[in-house]
Amino acid sequence: LQVLGSFILWFGWYGFNTGSTQSILTAAKARVAALAATNTTLAAASGGVAALFANLVLMERYTGEAVFNLNFAMNGCLGGLVSITSGCAVIEPWAGILTGFVAGLLYLWMSKQLVKWCIDDAVDAIPVHMVNGIWGLISTGLMAAPGRMMDAYGTDKHVGWFYSWGRGSGDFTLMGCQLVGILFILGWVTALMLPFFLLLNYMGWFRSDALEEVVGLDISYHGGGSHNMGEVKSEYLDAFRKRRDEQIRQRSGRSFSTNEEGVPTNTRSTDLYEDNEETNGGVDRVVG
């Protein structure tokens, strides 16, 4: 399902990038659409390959065993897609490959850094979208080609910084605009979301506690997860069930036990076992 989801996203990106041309009625517009589709394909493929094989080398070096991890390949593809979105219509195909390849490496690096920093990002949204979104804007500022800019925007006055140096001018205008855009996006998101996150943290809703994280949110928040209970040490499960039993007793004023799935075993058949998500979430209560 993960692979299917990744390919659905990849396919949708053609509508996003190529479809942004809006028209293929002129030769220039047709070239723009074709280039956008080509760069989308190349960047996604190179990002997936870069992340997959870079992780393979790292795993072989640190563990002595070469492991092909499909998760890194899929997220590397998504990182490549994110990075090429900015410049898909104005950079050459070789630059599309380079952009995607660097995106795959950046994704892998930031994903492992988040683990070291103990930042929980279960779907790797920060490495895929934030880091590679920034890289995509920078790559456009570096490698936007004059001919491609002329097709897309009708002017090649301000091009990628590499091409500007080739002209002998060192014009930093486009690159400067890209950097200003990055700063504006970071400022906008911070201004909008920081108060919201601070409020969640103040209310105690920002994150689950340590025991619930170790057990897994499938079990602690959603009451399921029997399929992966074998991956959690029994002592953690026992501690979690003991604490949940105590919470249920406090709320119901009655005493009972639970089975291995955490379901009460000596309540009346008319009792309803409901989920009450409060400060730490996943606190079950019995309603008589």
Side-chain angles (χ1 to χ4, degrees):
L1 288 178
Q2 285 181 298
V3 175
L4 177 61
S6 298
F7 275 104
I8 290 173
L9 283 170
W10 189 337
F11 181 74
W13 233 281
Y14 291 110
F16 188 44
N17 286 354
T18 308
S20 296
T21 308
Q22 298 180 339
S23 170
I24 54 173
L25 296 179
T26 65
K29 288 290 186 180
R31 287 195 297 270
V32 170
L35 180 66
T38 300
N39 279 332
T40 300
T41 305
L42 293 174
S46 61
V49 169
L52 177 67
F53 283 96
N55 182 69
L56 175 73
V57 172
L58 290 175
M59 291 298 295
E60 194 279 331
R61 180 174 181 179
Y62 291 123
T63 68
E65 182 179 358
V67 177
F68 288 94
N69 191 316
L70 197 57
N71 288 329
F72 287 112
M74 291 185 292
N75 282 332
C77 289
L78 296 181
L81 290 167
V82 169
S83 68
I84 201 60
T85 301
S86 170
C88 61
V90 296
I91 66 176
E92 298 290 351
W94 65 265
I97 296 174
L98 179 60
T99 298
F101 191 86
V102 173
L105 298 180
L106 286 174
Y107 155 71
L108 184 64
W109 170 73
M110 181 53 69
S111 178
K112 294 184 180 298
Q113 286 299 118
L114 291 178
V115 174
K116 291 181 180 179
W117 296 337
C118 296
I119 297 177
D120 185 17
D121 185 4
V123 297
D124 275 339
I126 294 173
V128 170
H129 293 280
M130 188 189 82
V131 172
N132 281 315
I134 292 173
W135 160 239
L137 290 172
I138 292 174
S139 72
T140 302
L142 292 174
M143 295 180 284
R148 304 301 186 176
M149 290 286 287
M150 183 64 71
D151 283 343
Y153 300 109
T155 179
D156 62 353
K157 182 178 180 181
H158 303 295
V159 296
W161 202 29
F162 292 160
Y163 288 95
S164 294
W165 280 108
R167 290 175 169 180
S169 68
D171 180 18
F172 197 73
T173 302
L174 179 59
M175 188 64 188
C177 290
Q178 299 297 96
L179 295 177
V180 170
I182 292 171
L183 293 176
F184 180 84
I185 293 168
L186 292 175
W188 176 264
V189 173
T190 301
L192 285 182
M193 299 309 299
L194 184 59
F196 178 68
F197 291 144
L198 290 176
L199 176 63
L200 289 179
N201 189 57
Y202 176 77
M203 299 296 293
W205 298 340
F206 194 62
R207 64 180 303 164
S208 57
D209 64 30
L211 180 59
E212 288 175 335
E213 288 182 348
V214 171
V215 170
L217 300 189
D218 283 343
I219 298 173
S220 62
Y221 269 56
H222 307 297
S226 59
H227 62 281
N228 65 354
M229 282 187 175
E231 301 175 5
V232 183
K233 292 183 178 180
S234 60
E235 56 263 35
Y236 295 136
L237 286 173
D238 291 340
F240 170 73
R241 290 169 182 150
K242 182 178 179 180
R243 189 180 69 178
R244 185 164 65 172
D245 288 350
E246 181 62 30
Q247 291 169 336
I248 295 173
R249 281 194 293 270
Q250 291 175 357
R251 291 181 175 277
S252 65
R254 296 160 51 192
S255 177
F256 54 85
S257 59
T258 60
N259 61 18
E260 290 186 355
E261 300 295 329
V263 178
T265 57
N266 60 341
T267 60
R268 298 195 311 273
S269 60
T270 56
D271 290 344
L272 298 177
Y273 192 74
E274 298 181 348
D275 181 68
N276 180 28
E277 294 187 4
E278 292 190 353
T279 55
N280 288 325
V283 179
D284 300 317
R285 61 190 176 95
V286 174
V287 180

